[in-house]
Amino acid sequence: MTALRVLHVGAECQPWLKTGGLADVLGALPAAQRAIGVDARLLLPGFPAICRHLLSPAVVCRLPAEFGVSGAMLVQSQLPNGTPVYVIDAPALFDRPGNPYADANHHPYADNHLRFALLGRVAAELACGLSPDWRPDLLHGHDWHSGLAPVYLRYRSDAGRRPPCVFTVHNLAYQGLFSAAAFAELDLPPHCFDINGVEFHGQMSFIKAGLFYSERLLTVSPSYAVEIQSPEHGCGLDGLLAGRRAVLGGILNGVDEAQWDPAHDALIAAPFAADRPAGKARCKLALQAELGLAQTAAPLLFGVVSRLTEQKGLNLVLAGAEALLEAGGQLAVLGNGDVALEAGFSALARRHPGSVAVVLGFDEALSHRLFAGMDVALVPSRFEPCGLTQLYAMRYGALPLVRRTGGLADTVCDANLENLADGSACGFVFERFAQTDFDAAVRRAFALRARQDGWQAAQQRAMRLRFGWQGPAAQYVQLYQQLAGQ
Ligand code: ADP
């Protein structure tokens, strides 16, 4: 039997371009699938950060002129982990400095509909034989950027031979909404602009396109798959999702253990592991020195590594910070995004030098040092499709303090008395998105810290949990095989 061929389609990928967890997934999942015999490959837009990394790219073909672009090429290369990657080299659409989705003023590019329509179009063409050497049995789209792939595929003249599509929602809140006028530029049949199609309250929605036209729908945790069928978390798409519940499921994201292993991480001050944890204390001291925090082993060092957005619930951290500091804690924040949150954290750091350190920006290496040095990772999200930072934190011996939602609920077990007694406790979980609940969870962290044996047991449990990609990769492959009839 020949290996099942799967084309993943998405917008960013570690280690080349990352703005969030999607990049971690696309950097690791195809490789994990390849390790179990699937011929998984990846299609990406040719953003500068991606093109810069291409090692001796081979030209696959010249792309037809469309969406106002001529002279675009499809090239092929591979990730450092060996995953074959197709890249759309279309400088007119993709060669822009900075963030891949928005300009320097954080305004989404006016032609984003064309940029990501091209991604969907090329995916559909690859699925129908664009490359003479390789043709996928299945398309796997990720988030709204890839949402048009199944639509273009559906309306090709030879659509009878089209492969099935899987669509994974990494975050339903980002929908790729564009005007009806933009729809007219996308070379789609006019009847698609319909409630049974890509139309969403008078606009066109790329994510709805992916959800409506794909054969199987996934999210990145089982709990989020249920939550998005409700009005509270459905972002207006709960009706569609509930209607398709029979084909909707959740597969938890994994951790790329080649990148995130404190025993073999060249980015941190000292190696450590569950059975030789001493290096963690050295990492904490090194982090305190690096960030200008008082170098004492005693207080709990709370850490945040996050996009600074409404979703992440960081207003609870800002409002709860004074109490956390009065209790003897320290706070280290690495993040960027929302202007008001950036200003709020900067002001907090100015008020509490030596106790609060804030680094505004995106810094992969520093994120490793933060997870290695912190005692508690704060992830009080309003909603969280999966969340990777709590998984990295646990691997690095930091207990996550999270709200019970989405993937956080699926991965963190609260350090209550029952869970401590049966050895399952690995973090702090609070229920309601309310300041009192967050503050109480912070107090519980201090209370557990005062009980050395309890803290160590939870820390050991956290570090020994395994969220590698092998399990999730196998779940995906099982689903592909059902869908492709193999
Ligand atoms: P999301 O995808 O919603 O941003 P996840 O927790 O799934 O949240 O993934 C976020 C990823 O981005 C993690 O790998 C996290 O370490 C990383 N990250 C977030 N903010 C920063 C930052 N400012 N600097 C470095 N890495 C960051």
Side-chain angles (χ1 to χ4, degrees):
M1 198 167 72
T2 56
L4 191 69
R5 291 172 300 245
V6 177
L7 181 67
H8 290 272
V9 186
E12 46 185 273
C13 174
Q14 263 297 73
W16 291 348
L17 171 64
K18 169 166 166 179
T19 71
L22 174 66
D24 290 333
V25 174
L26 289 180
L29 174 61
Q33 294 177 337
R34 293 181 71 78
I36 53 173
V38 171
D39 184 359
R41 303 187 181 196
L42 184 56
L43 172 67
L44 295 167
F47 297 125
I50 290 172
C51 290
R52 232 190 343 266
H53 286 95
L54 297 181
L55 299 172
S56 50
V59 174
V60 176
C61 62
R62 182 173 276 279
L63 296 169
E66 55 188 345
F67 307 131
V69 194
S70 58
M73 311 281 269
L74 185 67
V75 300
Q76 191 184 352
S77 183
Q78 58 177 351
L79 289 179
N81 65 20
T83 302
V85 182
Y86 297 96
V87 174
I88 304 169
D89 187 13
L93 288 181
F94 299 130
D95 186 10
R96 297 172 196 176
N99 183 289
Y101 315 115
D103 64 21
N105 297 318
H106 307 288
H107 295 135
Y109 290 115
D111 58 355
N112 270 351
H113 59 299
L114 299 175
R115 303 170 84 217
F116 295 104
L118 183 63
L119 180 66
R121 172 80 106 191
V122 175
E125 293 299 320
L126 266 169
C128 294
L130 178 67
S131 161
D133 302 327
W134 192 82
R135 180 177 180 146
D137 301 307
L138 206 136
L139 274 191
H140 189 157
H142 298 266
D143 270 355
W144 73 265
H145 318 103
S146 67
L148 291 196
V151 196
Y152 285 123
L153 201 50
R154 178 77 58 102
Y155 294 110
R156 279 183 55 98
S157 53
D158 58 350
R161 294 182 55 224
R162 70 191 161 84
C165 296
V166 177
F167 185 72
T168 294
V169 177
H170 296 255
N171 193 330
L172 194 63
Y174 297 94
Q175 303 197 334
L177 292 179
F178 302 98
S179 67
F183 172 82
E185 296 176 51
L186 299 184
D187 189 29
L188 285 166
H191 67 80
C192 290
F193 196 77
D194 185 80
I195 187 162
N196 288 309
V198 305
E199 187 266 343
F200 184 68
H201 300 289
Q203 293 185 287
M204 83 166 298
S205 162
F206 275 42
I207 203 161
K208 186 182 170 204
L211 294 172
F212 188 84
Y213 287 96
S214 300
E215 277 74 15
R216 287 299 298 263
L217 308 180
L218 286 167
T219 66
V220 285
S221 70
S223 285
Y224 192 59
V226 175
E227 290 169 0
I228 57 178
Q229 297 175 45
S230 72
E232 187 191 352
H233 293 291
C235 302
L237 290 161
D238 38 290
L240 167 61
L241 289 160
R244 301 207 67 198
R245 74 171 75 78
V247 295
L248 166 65
I251 297 179
L252 203 63
N253 281 338
V255 168
D256 185 346
E257 290 175 323
Q259 302 298 322
W260 296 96
D261 176 2
H264 303 99
D265 187 338
L267 299 169
I268 65 177
F272 61 96
D275 56 0
R276 42 192 173 95
K280 173 115 186 136
R282 282 183 50 204
C283 288
K284 180 171 173 179
L285 285 171
L287 180 69
Q288 288 168 323
E290 177 179 358
L291 297 182
L293 294 168
Q295 273 184 290
T296 93
L300 277 183
L301 172 47
F302 292 80
V304 172
V305 177
S306 184
R307 292 184 294 115
L308 302 183
T309 62
E310 164 89 4
Q311 172 199 340
K312 299 292 181 179
L314 297 169
N315 53 325
L316 296 182
V317 177
L318 270 178
E322 309 281 346
L324 176 159
L325 298 172
E326 269 164 34
Q330 296 180 327
L331 177 65
V333 178
L334 168 63
N336 60 358
D338 182 277
V339 175
L341 284 169
E342 286 191 356
F345 279 112
S346 299
L348 185 72
R350 281 195 300 276
R351 284 201 302 279
H352 299 282
S355 301
V356 177
V358 173
V359 178
L360 299 180
F362 197 96
D363 186 334
E364 184 74 16
L366 178 55
S367 76
H368 284 241
R369 297 197 291 279
L370 262 159
F371 291 120
M374 66 173 77
D375 299 302
V376 179
L378 299 174
V379 197
S381 305
R382 288 177 186 277
F383 68 93
E384 194 57 75
C386 176
L388 290 168
T389 56
Q390 84 279 12
L391 303 183
Y392 301 153
M394 287 195 278
R395 192 94 170 84
Y396 283 68
L399 302 188
L401 186 157
V402 308
R403 194 167 92 79
R404 191 188 303 283
T405 183
L408 301 172
D410 291 346
T411 55
V412 183
C413 193
D414 183 57
N416 59 31
L417 290 176
E418 307 90 282
N419 294 339
L420 281 168
D422 71 17
S424 59
C426 62
F428 308 96
V429 183
F430 66 99
E431 271 325 308
R432 292 179 311 139
F433 191 84
Q435 195 64 46
T436 46
D437 287 29
F438 173 80
D439 292 346
V442 169
R443 287 199 298 278
R444 288 196 295 119
F446 282 104
L448 189 67
R449 182 58 155 198
R451 290 180 43 191
Q452 269 304 321
D453 56 337
W455 184 276
Q456 274 166 13
Q459 192 181 38
Q460 281 288 319
R461 167 75 178 167
M463 292 187 74
R464 289 178 193 275
L465 282 171
R466 283 294 172 268
F467 291 99
W469 271 110
Q470 296 85 344
Q475 282 179 273
Y476 277 109
V477 171
Q478 202 177 21
L479 183 142
Y480 295 159
Q481 282 167 343
Q482 286 167 3
L483 202 52
Q486 285 201 1

